[in-house]
């Protein structure tokens, strides 16, 4: 049984999907936060790696006060 082929994203596709710049993507690769592969002269990121990166992003915490100025914790 042969393995199921995975989708490979070009760096441009990864940047478009994650709304980030190419230089930010290279910085992620250099920092070890994103694993890229070489396919000949082309650098690619697997769909699985892109999903892992997205799942590891921190949740956004709003510092905005709720309407009325009262804290919800009270």
């Amino acid at each position: 049984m042969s393995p199921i082929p995975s989708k490979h994203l070009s760096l441009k596709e990864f940047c478009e999907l994650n709304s980030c710049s190419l230089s930010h993507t290279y910085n992620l690769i250099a920092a070890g936060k994103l694993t890229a592969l070489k396919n000949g002269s082309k650098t690619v990121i697997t769909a699985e790696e892109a999903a892992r990166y997205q799942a590891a992003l921190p949740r956004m915490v709003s510092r905005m006060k709720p309407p009325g100025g009262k804290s919800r914790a009270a």
Side-chain angles (χ1 to χ4, degrees):
M1 180 161 51
S2 63
I4 299 171
S6 66
K7 168 82 171 132
H8 291 93
L9 304 171
S10 69
L11 292 185
K12 182 179 177 182
E13 290 170 325
F14 178 84
C15 291
E16 289 171 0
L17 288 172
N18 291 284
S19 300
C20 62
S21 68
L22 189 58
S23 62
H24 178 70
T25 302
Y26 278 116
N27 287 337
L28 290 171
I29 295 167
K33 295 181 180 180
L34 184 66
T35 302
L37 306 172
K38 291 298 282 187
N39 184 7
S41 62
K42 189 174 183 180
T43 303
V44 295
I45 298 169
T46 65
E48 292 85 3
E49 177 64 7
R52 186 209 56 79
Y53 168 76
Q54 290 171 347
L57 291 174
R59 295 182 65 105
M60 197 276 285
V61 178
S62 176
R63 296 180 187 190
M64 230 175 122
K65 291 182 181 178
K70 295 184 179 180
S71 172
R72 291 185 182 177

